[in-house]
Amino acid sequence: QLVESGGGSVQAGGSLRLSCAASGRIFSSSVMAWFRQAPGKEREFVALIRWSSPTILYADSVKGRFTISRDNAKNTMYLQMNALKTEDTAVYYCAKGSHYATNQREYTNWGQGTQVTVHS
């Protein structure tokens, strides 16, 4: 089970940190990712991180502004979001899979989502 937290409303240029707490064992081969879905749009990839290596990948739209990280001891993944823009407004989901992929179909476990609203 994956549970996101940390969403909220923030002014453009502000910051938020999302957390994704996982229950149960996360295998070393797992890949954890953040996706987001804005109103009227399809869910899109944001960032991913391998559970047992420093391999990280970002979507171009968030590169340089967002930072994905994990705390293996706490079974928790984070997304630090800085310099937020109004177009970052979306429901953010964390997901777990076993393949290094940006396609949401490769992820088998999903959280319920947390709303991030960036206002001008």
Side-chain angles (χ1 to χ4, degrees), residues 71-88:
D71 185 331
N72 293 52
K74 295 182 178 180
N75 261 21
T76 301
M77 175 179 67
Y78 304 97
L79 186 68
Q80 178 66 43
M81 305 185 294
N82 298 329
L84 282 161
K85 305 176 180 179
T86 55
E87 52 262 45
D88 293 319

Side-chain angles (χ1 to χ4, degrees), residues 39-118:
K41 295 187 177 181
E42 294 187 356
R43 191 177 300 183
E44 66 175 4
F45 167 78
V46 174
L48 67 78
I49 187 168
R50 287 192 183 274
W51 198 248
S52 61
S53 85
T55 303
I56 287 173
L57 179 68
Y58 295 101
D60 288 343
S61 58
V62 306
K63 201 173 296 183
R65 300 187 298 122
F66 290 11
T67 302
I68 190 171
S69 63
R70 53 172 165 74
D71 185 331
N72 293 52
K74 295 182 178 180
N75 261 21
T76 301
M77 175 179 67
Y78 304 97
L79 186 68
Q80 178 66 43
M81 305 185 294
N82 298 329
L84 282 161
K85 305 176 180 179
T86 55
E87 52 262 45
D88 293 319
T89 295
V91 177
Y92 283 71
Y93 299 90
C94 66
K96 181 168 72 74
S98 54
H99 299 288
Y100 181 91
T102 60
N103 189 325
Q104 59 177 315
R105 296 177 182 177
E106 296 291 338
Y107 292 84
T108 54
N109 298 86
W110 292 83
Q112 81 288 350
T114 186
Q115 176 70 47
V116 171
T117 302
V118 184

